[in-house]
Amino acid sequence: MASGLRRWRQLLCRLLLLLPFHAAYVTALATWWHLGMHSLDTWRNPQLFILGAAPMCTQLKGLSPGQIKFCQLYHDHMPAIGRGAQMGIGECQWQFRFRRWNCSTVDGDSSVFGPVLNIASREAAFTHAVSAAGVVHAISRSCREGELASCGCSRARRPKDLHRDWIWGGCGDNIEYGYRFAKAFVDVREREKNHPRHSKSLARMLMNLHNNEAGRRAVYNYAKVACKCHGVSGSCSLKTCWQQLPTFREVGDRLKDRYDGATETKFNKRGTQLKRRNRRYNKPTKEDLIYLESSPDYCEVNPQTGSRGTVGRECNRNSQGMDGCNLMCCGRGYNTFKRKLVERCHCKFYWCCYVRCKTCERIVDVQTCK
């Protein structure tokens, strides 16, 4: 892995030398996450990035100069990056569906999540981590599926604890390549400019780089060994095994735990690195999330912070958790109304092979925040 990283660093340095830093043609808020706002049908069309013989990379919203160079060199990777961004956005919305901040996107906003990411908070930490994880996941799987010219099945070494009679060599997810490419593509955005010591911009860059790495490690460090049985009637007298990605839900759950235990940081004395603000807590590892500023309460609408408030959000009056009406509604109270649910019920399996269900209606109480 070390030699691979050296090659990627060399490539990154060559790319940076080519960048026109004086031409700031992307806004400060625009991000590559905007690629995730395209529909799935868009990413199934490989001609999206080809106009004659030239990639349409300069026309994609949110790419930094360095990422445009990557797009031009690896335009066949862009659909996978877009799918990875979609995975990150979707998982963020799932993990925070019962929170005041629910990771909602902003239509027509090239930053995807809006002004909320201007604050160097836990929420910004999570979005950077889960998006970087999405790219690792999507690129690794695309390699295995044969969709990319520069990679194929994983070449990971045989695990030492694998049964000696089992075959190692099935077409596994190429997590090594996915990690390296995601590191180069995602991090180039942060490394394009020099920031003075003790500056807010340097602190944010260091925070983003740390959380990007935490997201990648949430995938890379938790690869699994998957096996398929062979033998008469699937007797499992022989197995073929390969490297497999963790599910992205597992990745999201892991990063959500890191969000809950994120570490607040500040500059060291030299103003070049971040360190924990409170020494009573453990030092953050490379798998942990870090942040610089406290989060808003997200109770009221605030265009400056990007808070959409919780008025009208559904809550659970019987819950004491974050989805409970007391916490979700910030003490404002809630309204209750009836909702009719129509759903399938009394399903029965018929041989062979279909399922027939009836349609049932029921009335439920729904609470929404005042």
Side-chain angles (χ1 to χ4, degrees):
M1 181 175 173
S3 60
L5 287 176
R6 282 196 296 271
R7 289 195 296 271
W8 280 101
R9 290 193 187 102
Q10 291 168 359
L11 172 61
L12 183 58
C13 291
R14 289 197 295 269
L15 284 170
L16 291 176
L17 290 174
L18 298 173
L19 297 179
F21 290 117
H22 59 281
Y25 50 86
V26 293
T27 64
L29 282 177
T31 70
W32 62 272
W33 301 334
H34 193 271
L35 299 177
M37 303 302 286
H38 295 286
S39 68
L40 286 173
D41 290 337
T42 299
W43 299 119
R44 294 190 182 103
N45 178 15
Q47 300 304 311
L48 172 68
F49 301 96
I50 306 298
L51 183 60
M56 294 171 58
C57 300
T58 56
Q59 299 180 30
L60 293 175
K61 291 183 179 180
L63 295 186
S64 72
Q67 289 172 333
I68 289 174
K69 295 294 183 182
F70 266 95
C71 175
Q72 292 169 340
L73 289 171
Y74 300 97
H75 59 265
D76 62 335
H77 288 51
M78 299 309 292
I81 293 172
R83 290 195 298 271
Q86 282 184 326
M87 292 167 63
I89 294 169
E91 188 61 26
C92 183
Q93 292 173 345
W94 169 264
Q95 294 292 340
F96 289 87
R97 66 196 185 282
F98 298 135
R99 296 282 186 127
R100 292 175 184 171
W101 179 75
N102 60 356
C103 205
S104 54
T105 56
V106 181
D107 292 337
D109 190 302
S110 58
S111 70
V112 178
F113 298 112
V116 68
L117 296 188
N118 287 340
I119 304 170
S121 63
R122 293 171 184 260
E123 289 73 39
F126 183 88
T127 52
H128 276 268
V130 78
S131 301
V135 177
V136 178
H137 206 281
I139 292 289
S140 302
R141 182 59 49 84
S142 293
C143 289
R144 192 194 74 179
E145 298 295 334
E147 297 174 355
L148 307 179
S150 55
C151 64
C153 298
S154 172
R155 296 180 179 178
R157 294 181 179 179
R158 179 189 179 95
K160 294 180 180 180
D161 58 349
L162 190 68
H163 194 286
R164 64 180 184 180
D165 293 333
W166 295 351
I167 299 172
W168 178 253
C171 188
D173 295 309
N174 197 335
I175 303 176
E176 296 79 12
Y177 182 91
Y179 172 88
R180 293 196 303 269
F181 185 87
K183 183 176 180 67
F185 176 83
V186 176
D187 285 2
V188 68
R189 178 184 192 86
E190 305 295 337
R191 300 184 184 279
E192 286 174 349
K193 296 181 180 180
N194 293 319
H195 305 283
R197 290 193 301 174
H198 289 290
S199 66
K200 187 174 182 179
S201 58
L202 176 60
R204 187 59 190 270
M205 183 198 79
L206 294 173
M207 170 186 155
N208 291 348
L209 287 174
H210 180 101
N211 293 321
N212 290 346
E213 180 65 12
R216 291 188 291 266
R217 288 178 180 242
V219 181
Y220 184 87
N221 288 348
Y222 297 90
K224 303 177 179 179
V225 173
C227 297
K228 180 179 179 180
C229 290
H230 304 285
V232 179
S233 300
S235 62
C236 256
S237 57
L238 182 63
K239 287 185 178 182
T240 298
C241 302
W242 59 90
Q243 181 173 247
Q244 182 168 291
L245 289 161
T247 67
F248 206 66
R249 180 53 39 80
E250 292 175 309
V251 174
D253 290 342
R254 188 170 293 112
L255 289 176
K256 180 59 165 50
D257 289 340
R258 304 283 193 246
Y259 165 90
D260 291 331
T263 302
E264 186 177 7
T265 58
K266 64 177 182 179
F267 268 127
N268 60 10
K269 291 183 179 180
R270 297 183 61 189
T272 56
Q273 297 294 330
L274 297 178
K275 66 177 185 178
R276 55 186 170 167
R277 181 173 290 276
N278 192 328
R279 295 180 61 86
R280 290 181 298 175
Y281 301 122
N282 294 331
K283 291 182 179 180
T285 69
K286 292 185 178 180
E287 290 192 25
D288 293 323
L289 300 186
I290 63 173
Y291 65 99
L292 294 163
E293 302 176 63
S294 298
S295 303
D297 60 20
Y298 300 109
C299 286
E300 306 293 340
V301 175
N302 187 333
Q304 280 70 44
T305 64
S307 172
R308 294 191 167 190
T310 62
V311 175
R313 287 279 301 278
E314 291 189 12
C315 59
N316 182 354
R317 65 184 177 189
N318 298 317
S319 172
Q320 300 300 314
M322 292 301 297
D323 62 329
C325 291
N326 186 40
L327 291 176
M328 179 67 75
C329 303
C330 306
R332 298 187 305 265
Y334 57 91
N335 299 313
T336 301
F337 64 93
K338 303 289 185 182
R339 175 184 291 168
K340 181 172 72 173
L341 292 182
V342 179
E343 53 193 6
R344 298 171 68 191
C345 61
H346 306 301
C347 296
K348 186 176 181 180
F349 175 78
Y350 290 86
W351 183 267
C352 177
C353 298
Y354 64 94
V355 177
R356 180 176 293 171
C357 300
K358 295 181 180 180
T359 300
C360 297
E361 295 182 358
R362 62 188 179 98
I363 305 298
V364 296
D365 288 333
V366 178
Q367 295 82 41
T368 58
C369 294
K370 291 182 178 180

